[in-house]
Amino acid sequence: MRIAIELARTAGSLGEVPVGAVVVKDGEIVGRGYNQPIGKHDPTAHAEVMALRDAAQKLGNYRLPGCTLYVTLEPCAMCSGAIMHARIGRVVFGALDPKTGVAGSVINLYTEEKLNHHAQIEGGVLAGECGALLSSFFAARRNKTAIA
């Protein structure tokens, strides 16, 4: 999670919402990503999707069984869909997302019986630190808007 936090800081330094993610298989990081939708002009360039893409390229397979995704913010519906399609076995996230989080905050897609893949979920890991990154980013953005 610490490396995901560093990646989140990279995103924030680029003016992106500070979210970072890593994919781990057998104790080794095989995928890294951070939010890049603004810079890439791509609404799908969330940290989780970027990390999944990186891992899939490195492992030579779009399926990532036996992998764990660590992400600093509770995944949204789009990212959760990608996580399920990739067959990620476990998702560990930091801060809750009360507006778009679908691992329990708004809804829980990971317990939806009608869906065919269910990753194991663990939330709240370094939640304070992950949440502080987001809070300070949005506070700075509000202050900039108020000054302008």
Side-chain angles (χ1 to χ4, degrees):
M1 186 62 83
R2 293 263 178 227
I3 294 168
I5 290 170
E6 288 304 315
L7 290 164
R9 287 190 176 108
T10 298
S13 74
L14 297 171
E16 303 276 2
V17 175
V19 179
V22 295
V23 176
V24 174
K25 183 172 178 77
D26 300 326
E28 180 183 338
I29 294 176
V30 295
R32 297 170 190 260
Y34 55 85
N35 268 5
Q36 300 178 66
I38 298 166
K40 290 196 173 285
H41 310 288
D42 179 357
T44 69
H46 287 196
E48 299 95 322
V49 172
M50 301 307 291
L52 292 173
R53 288 175 180 164
D54 189 34
Q57 287 299 308
K58 285 187 177 133
L59 297 176
N61 192 346
Y62 75 106
R63 299 281 198 217
L64 302 171
C67 291
T68 298
L69 174 75
Y70 293 86
V71 60
T72 58
L73 182 64
E74 180 182 0
C76 70
M78 176 188 69
C79 292
S80 293
I83 289 164
M84 290 175 194
H85 283 288
R87 302 298 193 261
I88 291 287
R90 182 170 175 242
V91 177
V92 179
F93 69 87
L96 292 170
D97 186 346
K99 294 185 179 183
T100 64
V102 298
S105 287
V106 176
I107 61 172
N108 194 337
L109 288 180
Y110 296 92
T111 59
E112 175 54 54
E113 291 179 16
K114 294 177 184 173
L115 296 173
N116 69 336
H117 178 74
H118 300 94
Q120 181 183 25
I121 302 296
E122 180 181 350
V125 175
L126 299 177
E129 193 171 341
C130 294
L133 276 174
L134 291 157
S135 295
S136 63
F137 174 82
F138 286 113
R141 185 176 270 185
R142 282 189 301 276
N143 288 338
K144 218 175 189 183
T145 304
I147 295 169

